[in-house]
Amino acid sequence: MLQPASHDMPGMAARATLPRGDLRWYFNRLRCMPLREIPFRLLRAAATRAESMGLRSHAAPAPDLERAAPPWLRAPAGEDAAAYLRAADRIIAGEFDVFALRDVQLGMPPRWNRDPRTGTEAPLTFGKLLDYRDPTLVGDIKYLWEPNRHLELVALAQAHALSNEARYGQALLGLLDSWIEACPCPRGPNWSSALEPAIRLINWSCAWQLIGGARSALFADAAGGAARARWLASVYQHARFVRGFLSRHSSANNHLIGEASGLFVAAVTWPHWPRSARWLAAARRILIREALLQNAPDGVNREQAVCYQQFEFDLLLVAWLAARNSGADFPAGFAARLESMLEYLASILDVGGNVPMFGDADDGRVVALSQEARFCPYRSLLATGAVLFERGDFAAKAGHLDAKTRWLLGPDSAARFARAAAAPAKLPVKRAFPDGGYYILGCDFETAREIRLVADAGPLGYGTLAAHGHADALSFTLSVGGCEMFIDPGTCTYRADSPWRRYFRGTSAHNTLRVDGLDQSEPGGSFMWLTKAAAGCTQWHSAARADSFDGWHDGYARLPDPVIHRRRIVLDKAQRRILVEDRLEMAGTHHVELFFHCAEHCRVLAGDDCWLLDVGGRRARLHPPALPGSRVRVARGAVDPPLGWTSRRFDSRAPSPTLVWHADLTGPALLRTRIDC
């Protein structure tokens, strides 16, 4: 997934002078680096400069097609082809969906180096030195990169596999040829980050298998054989590029897992060169190590971002499935960590299918195998987990066997899912995730009366950058009967120059407390934090009558008059009442705000001493702290500054009501908020 401001430092060796804003970013980036990373960056910059001068050949050796691997992806029997053919026909007509752009006409083939959002055409300069952070050069790089991940090639391959119509296969080869011609290795924006070629390799592998591999009928004539040769040469270039440009040190987050997954899948799918075995061994080592490093023992992804949890799971999953056919399977601990990741997702998913939008989200997908209208990536992962781990609780939370799982796990997946679904299921799966810092308070789970509150006392994010974390310590989400009441508003955008980026990742966009108008942690760029609030849970207890959570964070200890924030949340299950107590340890006077972000479809009405929340007839009452001089206002769709918004999809937002309690407080303070459900 994209994080241009936290990945390697493109363009540094290419520029003699830098604008002041860029200088500030590079200075902050250096501040976030451990000392041992600096010589690595200097050596990589020197090697990159040498490569840009033509000191490295990118020619691909001839493949040995006698070395072959069995496919791990096949068309499921009995799959209704109609939706897949419609999707493929849209691609042939040049119609694409790219984040907020829906049904946009990109052409057939698209202009692969052009950002469809701004129309900017990126130059075909040496990719590793192209500053993809510069919108004047590349436009919005996320929009440019997305079609180049080639999920659309898989859609064409699915249509070909289900219909056996040659036009879909020919369209696939035509798109691929146009891409290889327009994006020569190693030039242009599609050769500026190792993650993008890695994700292309995964999608190319899926498409390759679905059209029949090296012996596909599409390659039977001379033209087809030439297309196969061009494709395999580009596969080799991709794999070699990824292997030599892996994310390291402070950049080694989900990017590294994505790169290793793409390299591993390529080595399994195309074992046609001696280097393939070395690629496979190196990628396997990285995946085994990083799966355990980047995902805590309790299953929470250390990015502290739910969207990245599912993205990284998919990266690990496709590698694991490919490994089963390679003789290089992964150890038991790898599978156990994947199972733990699903336990976390199953636990935070409410009875209505809602998942809290903690941390960053960019709607990135590894593969898109389902054309279901209401496809849910989280339920899909749980369906896959139900089959792989024979878990009845995962099957119950998934609800049904989705198309993506059927494509990935083969013809017996339906029977295996049915067996899992018939097993007893104890729900919720888990309530406490101490490594990740999430705790679930609730009652009447999986019923129309369910109360599910998820409290956050986790770290800001992963590594020195904490790139995808939000300043949300001690925030919580609340759903009642599967209806979202208090939400995490999401992400909206990754554009560094946008005030929306700062707002959605800042403290005021979360259900927590803010002091003196400052974020708990200080950002140093769009994907890095300079100071990071430490947070933790001091007590967690669950009993038949009540659940309770006690947490703290020190984000405001940096102030001249230090402030420590402690929050206690207690759920009285019989009375269906939640008490939130905020204690502020301080000596001086500070402006204090409490934020309560409601779902966009929630109606908020003022009562005598409370605020009534109504979501489709499901109601809750919020009683804010009753302190002298305090005030409450409702913000909805405010722009300057931003407040009162929800972002369900990347690059889109909708007005939503946000209750803001605020007051000037002196000395130690105790704030009591009551929520009746």
Side-chain angles (χ1 to χ4, degrees):
M1 283 169 131
L2 173 69
Q3 53 174 75
S6 70
H7 195 48
D8 292 343
M9 301 170 67
M12 179 173 275
R15 290 176 158 186
T17 61
L18 294 166
R20 178 175 296 178
D22 279 0
L23 285 172
R24 185 183 306 113
W25 181 87
Y26 281 111
F27 176 71
N28 289 340
R29 187 66 178 85
L30 286 168
R31 287 176 62 186
C32 293
M33 286 185 187
L35 287 176
R36 67 181 182 279
E37 182 173 353
I38 294 175
F40 164 79
R41 296 291 176 192
L42 294 173
L43 288 171
R44 172 166 280 190
T48 298
R49 173 60 68 183
E51 185 182 351
S52 73
M53 297 169 65
L55 299 182
R56 179 184 182 188
S57 171
H58 294 279
D64 179 1
L65 296 183
E66 295 304 314
R67 297 180 181 177
W72 51 269
L73 183 68
R74 298 182 180 87
E79 193 75 11
D80 184 0
Y84 300 94
L85 301 188
R86 286 194 299 271
D89 288 339
R90 285 186 68 225
I91 294 167
I92 291 174
E95 294 179 7
F96 289 71
D97 294 333
V98 188
F99 303 117
L101 301 177
R102 316 303 289 181
D103 299 317
V104 63
Q105 182 60 238
L106 297 188
M108 181 63 174
R111 291 165 63 178
W112 296 110
N113 296 298
R114 180 177 180 268
D115 161 27
R117 181 176 170 273
T118 65
T120 304
E121 189 89 23
L124 281 179
T125 55
F126 186 68
K128 291 179 182 178
L129 293 180
L130 178 63
D131 187 356
Y132 58 77
R133 295 176 57 245
D134 186 347
T136 65
L137 282 177
V138 302
D140 189 327
I141 190 62
K142 184 165 175 54
Y143 276 83
L144 190 156
W145 276 342
E146 186 66 17
N148 288 277
R149 290 182 169 187
H150 285 179
L151 280 71
E152 65 275 6
L153 263 62
V154 179
L156 290 168
Q158 288 177 300
H160 176 81
L162 292 173
S163 69
N164 204 30
E165 292 187 32
R167 68 188 185 98
Y168 294 117
Q170 294 301 331
L172 186 158
L173 295 182
L175 272 179
L176 194 61
D177 263 350
S178 74
W179 189 92
I180 292 170
E181 182 178 357
C183 308
C185 178
R187 303 203 165 270
N190 292 304
W191 296 97
S192 58
S193 164
L195 179 62
E196 301 309 310
I199 293 179
R200 267 196 301 279
L201 283 171
I202 292 172
N203 282 287
W204 284 8
S205 170
C206 293
W208 177 270
Q209 294 173 78
L210 291 175
I211 65 172
R215 307 303 176 190
S216 169
L218 293 170
F219 303 139
D221 59 14
R228 180 180 64 188
R230 289 190 294 273
W231 192 354
L232 288 173
S234 191
V235 165
Y236 181 90
Q237 290 172 336
H238 273 67
R240 190 178 179 207
F241 179 93
V242 172
R243 180 66 183 98
F245 204 44
L246 294 169
S247 298
R248 299 293 192 187
H249 296 285
S250 60
S251 296
N253 57 358
N254 68 84
H255 274 234
L256 181 57
I257 284 182
E259 292 152 10
S261 178
L263 186 63
F264 185 89
V265 167
V268 170
T269 308
W270 299 286
H272 307 310
W273 305 277
R275 286 194 181 198
S276 297
R278 299 200 296 274
W279 291 336
L280 186 143
R284 181 177 180 272
R285 287 194 301 271
I286 294 169
L287 288 167
I288 292 171
R289 181 186 72 237
E290 296 298 320
L292 303 185
L293 278 177
Q294 296 193 35
N295 299 283
D298 61 12
V300 177
N301 180 259
R302 296 191 191 274
E303 299 265 24
Q304 306 298 129
V306 175
C307 179
Y308 281 77
Q309 178 110 4
Q310 63 88 22
F311 182 76
E312 196 165 295
F313 184 95
D314 264 353
L315 290 169
L316 296 169
L317 174 66
V318 294
W320 189 29
L321 295 178
R324 293 180 165 192
N325 288 348
S326 70
D329 205 356
F330 294 99
F334 181 93
R337 193 57 52 94
L338 291 184
E339 188 173 3
S340 295
M341 293 173 71
L342 293 181
E343 289 178 342
Y344 170 63
L345 288 179
S347 298
I348 63 174
L349 182 81
D350 74 13
V351 68
N354 303 299
V355 174
M357 296 186 288
F358 298 135
D360 271 350
D362 74 349
D363 297 350
R365 294 175 294 171
V366 179
V367 292
L369 294 168
S370 171
Q371 295 297 334
E372 294 163 302
R374 301 188 68 180
F375 175 76
C376 173
Y378 301 104
R379 288 191 186 275
S380 171
L381 291 187
L382 292 170
T384 301
V387 175
L388 289 173
F389 301 113
E390 301 178 353
R391 294 281 297 257
D393 45 5
F394 292 171
K397 295 292 289 190
H400 73 286
L401 183 70
D402 67 294
K404 178 186 166 206
T405 301
R406 294 195 298 270
W407 283 90
L408 284 175
L409 300 189
D412 64 341
S413 58
R416 294 165 66 191
F417 182 85
R419 286 197 298 272
K426 182 181 180 298
L427 297 170
V429 180
K430 290 175 68 176
R431 301 281 299 282
F433 298 87
D435 299 308
Y438 297 102
Y439 298 84
I440 299 169
L441 293 74
C443 61
D444 300 315
F445 289 107
E446 313 304 331
T447 73
R449 286 176 51 80
E450 175 184 272
I451 295 175
R452 191 181 298 256
L453 184 152
V454 184
D456 177 5
L460 178 62
Y462 182 61
T464 59
L465 297 175
H468 292 298
H470 287 187
D472 58 359
L474 302 189
S475 66
F476 68 91
T477 61
L478 173 66
S479 69
V480 181
C483 296
E484 293 176 298
M485 293 292 180
F486 296 125
I487 64 168
D488 185 307
T491 297
C492 184
T493 186
Y494 279 1
R495 288 195 289 277
D497 60 349
S498 171
W500 300 104
R501 175 61 176 155
R502 178 146 191 164
Y503 166 67
F504 274 96
R505 69 203 290 245
T507 300
S508 65
H510 299 90
N511 302 318
T512 187
L513 180 147
R514 185 170 71 168
V515 176
D516 294 339
L518 301 173
D519 290 332
Q520 300 163 347
S521 300
E522 293 181 284
S526 199
F527 294 93
M528 66 179 115
W529 296 88
L530 297 181
T531 66
K532 306 175 184 68
C537 173
T538 54
Q539 186 178 31
W540 153 254
H541 181 70
S542 180
R545 295 187 61 182
D547 291 346
S548 63
F549 157 86
D550 290 87
W552 61 274
H553 81 82
D554 67 357
Y556 297 115
R558 70 182 191 269
L559 300 180
D561 175 50
V563 180
I564 299 296
H565 178 202
R566 302 186 187 277
R567 170 167 278 185
R568 177 173 174 79
I569 305 175
V570 179
L571 167 65
D572 185 317
K573 300 179 184 181
Q575 296 191 40
R576 300 178 65 83
R577 175 170 293 171
I578 298 166
L579 179 64
V580 181
E581 291 186 347
D582 291 295
R583 293 182 181 273
L584 297 173
E585 299 175 1
M586 59 191 186
T589 299
H590 297 272
H591 187 69
V592 175
E593 299 162 287
L594 284 172
F595 297 92
F596 300 94
H597 293 267
C598 304
E600 63 272 32
H601 45 272
C602 180
R603 294 174 60 229
V604 176
L605 305 171
D608 291 337
D609 62 346
C610 69
W611 293 84
L612 177 67
L613 283 58
D614 186 299
V615 181
R618 179 75 63 176
R619 294 189 169 189
R621 285 178 171 81
L622 174 74
H623 301 261
L627 291 182
S630 65
R631 298 176 299 279
V632 179
R633 62 188 176 98
V634 180
R636 182 184 176 91
V639 173
D640 188 17
L643 187 62
W645 297 90
T646 297
S647 175
R648 298 285 180 179
R649 294 188 320 182
F650 187 80
D651 218 19
S652 67
R653 61 184 183 271
S656 60
T658 297
L659 287 154
V660 185
W661 178 97
H662 56 111
D664 292 319
L665 304 177
T666 302
L670 173 63
L671 312 179
R672 287 192 175 95
T673 302
R674 196 179 86 220
I675 306 168
D676 296 319
C677 303

